[in-house]
Amino acid sequence: MADELSKDRGRRISVLYGSQTGTAQEVAERIGREAKRRYLSASVLALDDYNVTRLIKEELVIFVCATTGQGDEPDNMKKFWRFILRRNLPVNSLSAVSFAVLGLGDSSYPKFNFIAKKLNKRMIQLGGSELQSLGLADDQHELGPDAVVDPWLKQLWERVLRLYPLPPGKEIISASVRPSSRFTVKFVNSNLSNTLERTHTSKTFESSSMGSQVTSNSSPCRRHPFHARLISNNRVTAADHWQDVRLVQFDIKGSGMSHSPGDVLMVQPSNLTDVVQEFITHLALEAKQTFFLEQNDPDIPIPHQLPQPCSIQHLVEHYLDIQGVPRRYFFELLSHFTTSDLEQEKLQEFCSAEGQEELYSYCYRQKRTTLEVLQDFPSASANIPFEYLLDLIPPIQPRAFSIASSLMAHPDEVQLLVAVVNYKTKLFKPRRGLCSTWLASLDPSNKDSRVPVWVKKGTIAFPKAFDSPIVMIGPGTGCAPFRSFIEERVSQSAGDCVLFFGCRNSNKDFFFQEQWHRLVENGNLKLFTAFSRDQEDKIYVQHKLLENSSLVWNLLTHKHGWFYIAGNSQRMPTDVTEALLEIFTKEGKMDKTKAEELLKTLENTRHFQSETWS
């Protein structure tokens, strides 16, 4: 197949993705694989890794993009986005380009798939031909985004084959044919392997001790994170409370990083030690064995996160997302390795369109991990060629945490408020959040406790004017970005901060209680609290908001204040927004339509913002 592609490079498409997580990349890579089954060469790139000036020369481009925050573009498409929105671009500049846009979104957010919709519209404005109507996948669907992705791709390939018919005498390569691995693995002999492993370990420690390999002319980023020293890692919930929440402090001195209220800290986690050992044992891998990677496809680069050479221990501990929930292609590829008819039948069912409900019940509903699936299919596990591990298992994705501290109050520090994810399903073992559990396990007294981090702009932006009143709704860990802003204002001798904080119990999970009370006493903060479990009737932040409706109305309308929501995305943001609309109708003596128009105005001027997470 590679020979066929090299002979006919005109049969080429570009698949470009933008996403905060790895989902868009996974879908884009799936499109790339399916293109090659149709004898098409496919370049799969993040939008910001793509030379946007090439766009006018493309024949067919497929975009896969997600939306973040308040309808914002993901980080890895910001440069592309700025360019494509330039007003001086001719309206016919993309008249030779056919395109299709697939959006990945979550309908629980108000601006569902906003960026995909805008990109599709902009491509048409610039003269592009819409090969396929806009696809809008929804995480909230009971079958996940595949409920939209599958039929959308089926229709896409029908249309692509009209543009690029199969070469004479060729048929679509069957999914039953095992694809080539993306990389060739060259193992190093054992003696040299041990030497290289020691060298690699030494270099890793040296770079950690130095903090980062980032030059003085650049800021830490995903490709070059800063290895921050852990200062403290303290539990801030009561020992008998159901949830372990940590205040984690990092030393960022010498990093060149700065941050403002509303920014987030990106953390690149590693797998937990016990899970790493369990994975290595299950697949009978030799942890100290080292290897080099070589490209099999010029369109697929060697992962920049992996050193050359790399040890199996490093690969499993720091790169492979063995604790993640596997996607559909995992089962498709795994089916090629089993010698068991029963296993093969089940794996093929999981990767078929008809088997998606069964896959959902087995895998997604229970949050079954990659390692657990491999343990359920021992024949397939025993026969996986090592080089296919990088095709089967995606890389660990970084996690974003709202920064909970101000540089003015805590110079050379970043503080995070981290809820450790731990819950039960029908499976025997509790589900553990990869990053939160890994962070909680780190010991500040260990000098090797270094965490790869970098700072990113958050989705909420606070006003620069010191006299602007701010109303903040931050239950639970949602108070983190507001603590950063409040500390910043206090450091600048500014006030007019109103915080509505909610939690279960005043004596178990009242984060920053002493600090808030001190600020209230000093006149820097108005604080309203809702402790849902301290009385028989549950009281939430929206109830406290309604109790103080005249204050909120006065700050937002008469003093042109700002209103922020941060926290869990399940019910709270909707309940708070409904309470705010009720305040508008009551205090402003207006009907529901007028209240909704006022809220829309506040959203458009960014005087109403929310940052929520699931």
Side-chain angles (χ1 to χ4, degrees):
M1 189 169 74
D3 290 341
E4 294 285 346
L5 292 175
S6 62
K7 288 176 185 176
D8 192 358
R9 299 302 288 179
R11 297 172 51 78
R12 182 179 187 86
I13 65 174
S14 289
V15 187
L16 308 177
Y17 64 88
S19 179
Q20 295 287 84
T21 65
T23 308
Q25 182 178 351
E26 289 171 19
V27 174
E29 288 176 348
R30 173 182 171 184
I31 295 171
R33 290 190 299 268
E34 293 188 9
K36 290 174 183 180
R37 289 176 51 214
R38 292 158 175 82
Y39 296 91
L40 294 166
S41 177
S43 175
V44 181
L45 290 169
L47 278 152
D48 278 357
D49 292 335
Y50 174 74
N51 183 354
V52 69
T53 60
R54 283 182 47 197
L55 196 56
I56 59 172
K57 300 176 182 178
E58 298 279 8
E59 291 184 19
L60 175 59
V61 184
I62 301 169
F63 298 95
V64 184
C65 57
T67 298
T68 65
Q70 314 291 309
D72 301 317
E73 70 281 2
D75 275 359
N76 60 358
M77 70 175 286
K78 286 188 180 295
K79 288 189 295 183
F80 175 91
W81 195 238
R82 283 195 299 269
F83 184 91
I84 206 77
L85 292 180
R86 284 167 55 175
R87 295 185 179 182
N88 63 346
L89 295 177
V91 293
N92 63 346
S93 54
L94 299 181
S95 58
V97 181
S98 292
F99 75 93
V101 177
L102 175 62
L104 302 177
D106 186 325
S107 58
S108 68
Y109 288 82
K111 294 194 174 180
F112 171 60
N113 268 316
F114 189 64
I115 291 300
K117 294 172 184 175
K118 287 185 71 175
L119 175 59
N120 198 76
K121 182 178 179 181
R122 183 58 175 159
M123 290 294 292
I124 293 172
Q125 288 174 345
L126 295 174
S129 300
E130 193 180 22
L131 178 70
Q132 163 96 333
S133 60
L134 174 64
L136 301 175
D138 185 5
D139 267 348
Q140 291 298 315
H141 194 283
E142 61 178 8
L143 298 180
D146 282 347
V148 168
V149 173
D150 286 352
W152 189 87
L153 286 180
K154 182 180 179 182
Q155 189 176 46
L156 176 73
W157 290 122
E158 290 172 357
R159 298 184 178 191
V160 169
L161 285 178
R162 293 174 199 164
L163 282 179
Y164 301 113
L166 293 170
K170 296 292 184 182
E171 295 182 354
I172 297 172
I173 298 171
S174 170
S176 63
V177 176
R178 187 169 87 182
S180 302
S181 63
R182 290 184 297 170
F183 308 106
T184 296
V185 171
K186 300 288 186 182
F187 283 106
V188 181
N189 70 63
S190 57
N191 291 332
L192 181 57
S193 174
N194 291 333
T195 303
L196 290 170
E197 172 67 13
R198 287 193 298 271
T199 303
H200 172 60
T201 303
S202 175
K203 286 182 177 179
T204 301
F205 178 76
E206 286 171 11
S207 66
S208 297
S209 300
M210 293 166 62
S212 175
Q213 296 175 330
V214 180
T215 66
S216 58
N217 296 324
S218 63
S219 297
C221 59
R222 183 172 185 176
R223 191 174 282 267
H224 300 290
F226 177 76
H227 293 262
R229 181 178 64 84
L230 196 62
I231 299 173
S232 65
N233 186 358
N234 297 320
R235 178 168 176 148
V236 291
T237 47
D240 60 345
H241 188 58
W242 71 278
Q243 189 173 43
D244 179 359
V245 178
R246 300 295 179 104
L247 182 63
V248 185
Q249 296 175 269
F250 299 101
D251 180 358
I252 60 168
K253 187 174 183 180
S255 67
M257 291 193 300
S258 63
H259 58 86
S260 303
D263 288 350
V264 298
L265 189 73
M266 302 300 297
V267 177
Q268 182 64 55
S270 296
N271 286 309
L272 300 171
T273 303
D274 60 324
V275 181
V276 170
Q277 186 55 51
E278 193 175 355
F279 181 88
I280 288 174
T281 301
H282 179 70
L283 292 183
L285 300 174
E286 188 180 333
K288 293 184 179 180
Q289 176 73 63
T290 57
F291 59 91
F292 289 91
L293 290 179
E294 294 179 357
Q295 282 179 276
N296 284 343
D297 186 328
D299 291 327
I300 303 177
I302 292 170
H304 67 83
Q305 304 98 315
L306 294 179
Q308 288 274 61
C310 180
S311 70
I312 291 177
Q313 177 75 31
H314 183 92
L315 175 75
V316 178
E317 186 173 350
H318 301 295
Y319 183 78
L320 298 179
D321 191 11
I322 59 177
Q323 294 175 243
V325 178
R327 306 303 298 175
R328 183 165 153 187
Y329 179 65
F330 173 90
F331 296 93
E332 180 182 327
L333 187 55
L334 193 63
S335 69
H336 291 292
F337 305 128
T338 185
T339 57
S340 162
D341 291 340
L342 187 63
E343 284 190 8
Q344 187 173 62
E345 182 181 347
K346 179 56 71 174
L347 289 167
Q348 289 176 346
E349 178 189 3
F350 284 158
C351 61
S352 68
E354 299 76 21
Q356 290 312 289
E357 286 191 29
E358 187 72 17
L359 176 60
Y360 181 83
S361 297
Y362 167 74
C363 194
Y364 304 145
R365 180 180 289 128
Q366 310 297 342
K367 303 295 183 186
R368 201 179 298 263
T369 69
T370 292
L371 173 57
E372 288 170 333
V373 172
L374 290 174
Q375 290 169 334
D376 283 348
F377 293 89
S379 173
S381 299
N383 291 289
I384 300 171
F386 179 77
E387 61 269 21
Y388 277 93
L389 287 180
L390 287 98
D391 295 69
L392 276 166
I393 308 173
I396 298 171
Q397 296 297 318
R399 271 58 167 181
F401 294 92
S402 295
I403 294 175
S405 58
S406 162
L407 272 177
M408 290 186 173
H410 308 277
D412 297 325
E413 273 188 32
V414 171
Q415 298 183 8
L416 304 179
L417 192 62
V418 179
V420 181
V421 177
N422 191 311
Y423 61 95
K424 290 184 178 181
T425 66
K426 290 183 179 179
L427 299 179
F428 175 72
K429 290 183 179 179
R431 306 297 88 188
R432 296 186 293 177
L434 169 59
C435 189
S436 61
T437 309
W438 177 70
L439 282 174
S441 72
L442 299 178
D443 182 0
S445 65
N446 182 351
K447 293 183 179 180
D448 291 338
S449 289
R450 302 272 178 164
V451 178
V453 298
W454 61 98
V455 171
K456 274 189 1 186
K457 281 291 167 193
T459 57
I460 58 175
F462 292 101
K464 292 181 170 55
F466 292 164
D467 58 349
S468 298
I470 309 293
V471 179
M472 296 162 283
I473 316 296
T477 56
C479 70
F482 303 142
R483 179 179 183 249
S484 174
F485 178 74
I486 292 167
E487 287 187 342
E488 189 98 343
R489 275 214 162 175
V490 170
S491 298
Q492 296 171 332
S493 301
D496 259 346
C497 294
V498 179
L499 174 65
F500 288 83
F501 174 81
C503 63
R504 290 198 173 194
N505 306 102
S506 58
N507 62 345
K508 292 185 184 293
D509 55 341
F510 189 177
F511 307 133
F512 310 119
Q513 177 180 5
E514 293 181 6
Q515 182 178 7
W516 298 143
H517 285 161
R518 189 167 61 251
L519 293 175
V520 170
E521 290 173 1
N522 294 338
N524 301 118
L525 176 69
K526 283 190 177 71
L527 176 68
F528 300 98
T529 54
F531 305 115
S532 63
R533 305 300 199 275
D534 277 359
Q535 62 286 311
E536 188 173 341
D537 295 327
K538 292 177 182 176
I539 299 174
Y540 296 110
V541 284
Q542 63 266 25
H543 301 131
K544 292 295 180 179
L545 195 64
L546 289 168
E547 287 177 12
N548 295 276
S549 60
S550 61
L551 170 67
V552 173
W553 172 257
N554 181 54
L555 291 176
L556 293 185
T557 59
H558 298 155
K559 294 190 175 182
H560 308 291
W562 300 61
F563 191 93
Y564 295 88
I565 303 172
N568 191 286
S569 64
Q570 291 179 344
R571 280 294 310 167
M572 183 274 296
T574 301
D575 291 340
V576 168
T577 303
E578 288 176 354
L580 188 60
L581 288 170
E582 190 175 331
I583 289 171
F584 292 167
T585 57
K586 173 188 172 186
E587 300 294 337
K589 296 179 174 54
M590 58 180 70
D591 60 25
K592 186 177 180 182
T593 301
K594 290 288 185 184
E596 289 173 346
E597 288 175 358
L598 176 56
L599 180 62
K600 190 70 175 177
T601 300
L602 292 174
E603 285 181 337
N604 291 338
T605 58
R606 303 216 72 183
H607 278 247
F608 176 94
Q609 298 179 45
S610 65
E611 181 177 80
T612 59
W613 51 86
S614 57

